[in-house]
């Protein structure tokens, strides 16, 4: 049986669909994150700490690196929470953490995602994650 597909980066097609959605105003990014037991810095050894660390610890390094670039771009990390078993959902599926990030606009998100300073620390995320999901959300008015 082949190993399940891990989703760590957007595909070109997904990026095109994201832009084509033509969000107006702010958007929220729902992140579901599954960490590696031990962080794997083989793709970015220059970022590796001087000792072995967990995927969760590597993701903490990613967050610490990322926050200044996120806030400078008009973004806000407004929720970070520990995961666990689903109340509704597949019993075998697990997510270690959920994160909600608000961006002022698609343009500010894209500027953040292309920032060379931000990209310099992206290897912490890659080292940390076994799998992830990223769902862009637009606010909907509550009809009552």
């Amino acid at each position: 049986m082949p190993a399940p597909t891990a989703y760590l980066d957007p595909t070109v097609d997904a990026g095109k669909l994201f832009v084509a959605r033509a969000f107006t105003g702010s958007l929220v990014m729902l992140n579901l994150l599954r960490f590696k037991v031990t962080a794997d810095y083989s793709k970015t050894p220059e970022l590796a700490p001087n000792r072995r660390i967990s995927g969760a610890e590597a993701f903490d390094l990613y967050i610490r690196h990322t926050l200044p670039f996120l806030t400078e771009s008009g973004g806000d990390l407004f929720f970070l929470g520990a995961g666990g078993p689903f109340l509704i959902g597949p019993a075998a599926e697990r997510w270690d953490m959920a994160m909600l990030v608000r961006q002022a606009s698609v343009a500010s998100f894209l500027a953040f995602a292309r920032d060379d300073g931000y990209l310099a620390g992206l290897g912490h995320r890659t080292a940390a994650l076994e799998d992830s999901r990223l769902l862009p959300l637009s606010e909907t008015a509550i009809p009552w």
Side-chain angles (χ1 to χ4, degrees), residues 16-85:
K16 289 177 183 176
L17 286 171
F18 170 67
V19 172
R21 285 181 67 181
F23 287 94
T24 57
S26 67
L27 61 148
V28 171
M29 297 294 207
L30 167 63
N31 294 256
L32 297 177
L33 309 159
R34 184 176 311 130
F35 301 127
K36 294 175 183 169
V37 173
T38 303
D40 177 5
Y41 280 95
S42 60
K43 293 181 181 174
T44 53
E46 70 280 4
L47 293 178
N50 57 8
R51 64 177 177 83
R52 296 186 127 212
I53 62 173
S54 69
E57 290 171 301
F59 197 77
D60 184 59
L61 292 174
Y62 167 73
I63 293 293
R64 291 172 188 273
H65 171 83
T66 298
L67 281 176
F69 300 101
L70 180 66
T71 55
E72 186 178 302
S73 72
D76 174 38
L77 169 57
F78 69 94
F79 180 84
L80 189 62

